[in-house]
Amino acid sequence: MKYSDNSQLDKNGLDGRVFRAFAESSKRRYIYLCNLQTNVSRWSVSAIEYFGLPSEYMLDAGTIWESYIHPDDVEMYRADIASIFSGKTQYHNMEYRARNKDGQYVICTCCGFVLKGENGEPDLFAGTISNHGIVENVDSITNLYNIYQFMDAMRVLREKSEQTLILLIGLNHFDSVNSVYGYSFGNKVLRTFANGIKDIVRGNGQVYRLDGCKFAICMNVDNKMQTEIVYEKIQKMGLSQIFVEDTQIVLSVSGGAVFVNHNVAVGEFSIRSAVMHALDISKHERNGELVFFDDDSQGKSLRVLEMMDRLRKDIINGCQNFYLNYQPLVRAENGSVIGMEALIRWSNPLFGEAAPGVFIPWLENDPCFYDLGNWIMERALTDGKKIIEKNPDFLVHVNISYTQLQRTGFRDSVLEILAKTQFPPQNLYLELTERCRNLDLNYLKEEIQFFHTQNINIAIDDFGIGASSFSLIRELPLKCLKIDRSFISNIYQNKKDQYIVDAMLNCARNLDIEVCLEGVETEELRDFLQCYQADIHQGYFYSRPVNYRKFLELLD
Ligand code: C2E
Ligand code: CA
Ligand code: CA
C-alpha cells in the first residue's frame, strides 16, 4: 500500500476533533497517535509540512520517520521503537536529530506512551515531538565545536591513517562557580577556560565542548608521556590562569584519555563511553589524576575498546549473550536459603567470559545500559516469581546502578516490570551499588521514599567503602545494609575490622535495618561470624553464583 493512499488506511480510533485541536496548539510541538494493531498513525499537519512527510495518516510511520533521523541516532531510535512495538516498554523518551524538508537537521525530543488494550496487548502509542531548532555546529558560549561535531569526528576516526588521542577534560564542582557568581559570569569562565585549552592545543588538534562542563580534545599524539604533558598544562591553566572581570577563578579538572587506532572498527559511542569511563575514575577515584582507559598497554586498550563495541551491540540486539547467575542469601543463624542476588554475566564467542566488575563500570556511561538494567530486572523477577509460587517469602535482590536511578523513567520501568512479571513488590530488594551514593542526597531520598511507598525494599550494597556516609542510614528508609566483604574476609585476624563491623551492626540493629555480611568464604569464617548475629550471610562458603537451573537444584 502506498503511504499517500489514505483512502485505504484504517483510521479507526485515530480520527477526532481533539487530535486536531492539540495538533493545532503548537507549531513547534507535534503530536502523533499510532494504532499498534494496524500500524496506522496520524501526525500533526504541521509536522507533515515542516519535515515533508508523505501525509497526515501513514502506514508504518516508525519506518518512514527513521529515514529522516540522523544516521548517528538511528541505532538507538530503532531499538527503542522495537521495544515499544514488542510491548517490552511503555515509555518512549529520547533525543535525536531529524532532517527537515530543506535538508537541515533539527534537534527533537520525542516522548510517548503506550496504552494497553483489555487483553494487555500494546494498543495505542501516543506522544509528542518537540522541535528545538536547527542543529548548530558551534557552542554559542565557548565558540567551540559542540558534541554533534565531536561525534561526527569520532565516526570518521577509523578512516584516518594515524592513531588519535581522545582526551576528555571535566571541570570539578563548576556548579559552585555558577551559584556564587551567577550564570553569565559562569559562561565567561567557561569561555576563558575554552580559549586556554585552544591555546595549548593550537595547531595540533581540535577542541570540542560536550555537555555541561566537559571538553574533548582530538589530537595526533601517540604516547602517554606527551598526553601527560598536555594534561598538566591544562591543569595548571585552570588552577592559575583564569581571570574574569579581574577576579581569579580556580578551576580543578579531571581527565580521561583513550587512544584510537585507525584500523580498528570501533563505533563512536563506544569511544565516547570509554573516555567518559576514564574521566569518571579520574574524578571519583584518582583526585583528578589523568586516567587512560584501560591503563595497560595500548594494544590491550584497543582490544578492550572492541570488546566494548561488542557489548553495546549485544545489548542493542535484545541483550543477546547476557545471562544471569544467582547467589543464595542465607539466614545467618541456620544457613537456610531465603533469597538470591542476581549477578549479570556476558559471554561472547569472540571475547569469552567477561567479569561484570570490569564491564559494568564501562557500560554505566552508555545510554544503552538502561536497557540492560531493565532486562536484568525482568529476567531476575521472572525467574524469582517461579520460586515464589512455592515459597512466598523468597527474596530477590537486583543490583541497581546510578545511571538507572538517575533516569526519570526508572520508577515507571520498575513498576512496569513488576506488573508484567506479576512479582510481589515486597519480595524485591533494589541493591544500590556504590556510585548511587554519589547522587544528590535529596534526590536519593525522593527516589527511595517512592519505592518505599510501593513496598519495594532498598538495600545499600558494599556498605563501608566509597561514599558510605551514615547520613544515608539516618535519612533514608532502608531495609538492608550489605557490609562489604573487604571488612569480612580477614576479620578474625584484624581487630579493627571487628570493631567496625560491630559498630555497623549495632547501629543497624537499633535502627531496625537488616544486615547482610558479604564474602563468607569458608566454614572457619562462618563460625567466627556467628557471634555477630547478623541477619543474612552471603558468600562462596554457601555457594558461588550459579545459573538458574543449578540454583533450583541447590534450593531442593
Ligand atoms: P556485588 O553486588 O558486591 O556482588 C557480589 C560479588 O561478590 C559478585 O561478584 C560475587 O560473585 C562476589 N562474591 C560473592 N561471594 C563471594 C565470596 O565469598 N568471596 C569473594 N571473593 N567474592 C564473592 P561478581 O558477580 O563478579 O559481580 C561484581 C560486581 O559487579 C557486583 O558486586 C556488582 O557491583 C556488579 N554487578 C553484578 N551484576 C550486576 C547487575 O546485574 N547490575 C549491576 N548494576 N551491577 C552488577
Ligand atoms: Ca550487590
Ligand atoms: Ca556487594
Side-chain angles (χ1 to χ4, degrees), residues 37-67:
Q37 308 291 334
T38 60
N39 200 4
V40 175
S41 299
R42 181 178 181 187
W43 285 44
S44 298
V45 173
S46 48
I48 306 311
E49 287 167 356
Y50 184 79
F51 291 100
L53 285 156
S55 82
E56 187 181 359
Y57 291 90
M58 290 178 276
L59 179 66
D60 198 10
T63 307
I64 300 176
W65 187 229
E66 188 180 301
S67 66

Side-chain angles (χ1 to χ4, degrees), residues 421-441:
T421 55
Q422 298 282 300
F423 191 93
Q426 67 276 14
N427 294 47
L428 171 63
Y429 280 61
L430 304 179
E431 287 194 10
L432 306 192
T433 54
E434 199 195 324
R435 282 281 180 80
C436 294
R437 277 113 66 180
N438 288 325
L439 295 172
D440 176 66
L441 190 62

